[in-house]
Amino acid sequence: MKRKSLSRQIYGYFLIVIVLSLVSVGAVSYWQSSRALDDQVKQYMEQMVDSANYQTDSYLQAYELLSNAFTTNSDVRSFMEIKPDDAYEYYEYSVKIKEFALVSIKSIVTLYKQLNMIYVTGQHGRSIIYDNQNLFFNFDPVLVQEKFTNLMKL
C-alpha cells in the first residue's frame, strides 16, 4: 500500500476541520437568524392585530354613537308612536329625522362617505329613509312591509 504523504494528511485534516467549522458556523447562524426572524414576524403580527382591533373598535364605536343618537332623539321616538294613517305627522317627522340624520352623519367624519343610508322603521309599517349618497330609489311599500315583518320575526 501506498502511504500518503505528510502534506496530504495535513491538508486532509485541515480540510475536515475547516468544513466542520464552516458547517457549524452556518448552522448556528441559520438557527439564530431563523429565531430572530420568527420573533420579528411575531412582533409585527401582534402589532397588525392590535392595529386592526383598534380600527375595528373605533369604527364600531362611531356606529354605536350614531345609533345611540337616533335612539335617544325625541323626533325618532315620536315617529315611532304616530298613527299609521296620519300623513301630516309622517311628513313632519320624516323631514325632521332626515335633517337630524344629515347633521349626525356630518358630525362623525369617519362615517360620512361610508354610510349610504339610514332606515328608521316603526311598528306601524311606516319608514323613513335618509339617503347619504343622493341616490334615488323607488321603494315598494309592500316590499318594505315584508322586509319589516321579516326583521321583526328575528
Side-chain angles (χ1 to χ4, degrees), residues 60-74:
L60 291 176
Q61 284 176 353
Y63 277 106
E64 185 178 6
L65 284 173
L66 185 65
S67 177
N68 289 341
F70 269 87
T71 57
T72 58
N73 184 282
S74 62

Side-chain angles (χ1 to χ4, degrees), residues 6 16 29-30 52 59 62 64 72 80 82 90-91 102 106-107 111-113 116 123 127 134:
L6 185 59
I16 291 171
S29 296
Y30 173 77
Y59 190 75
E64 185 178 6
T72 58
M80 297 295 177
I82 65 172
Y90 170 74
Y91 175 76
L102 176 64
K106 284 189 177 181
S107 69
L111 289 181
Y112 185 66
K113 293 294 180 184
N116 291 332
Q123 289 195 0
S127 62
N134 296 322

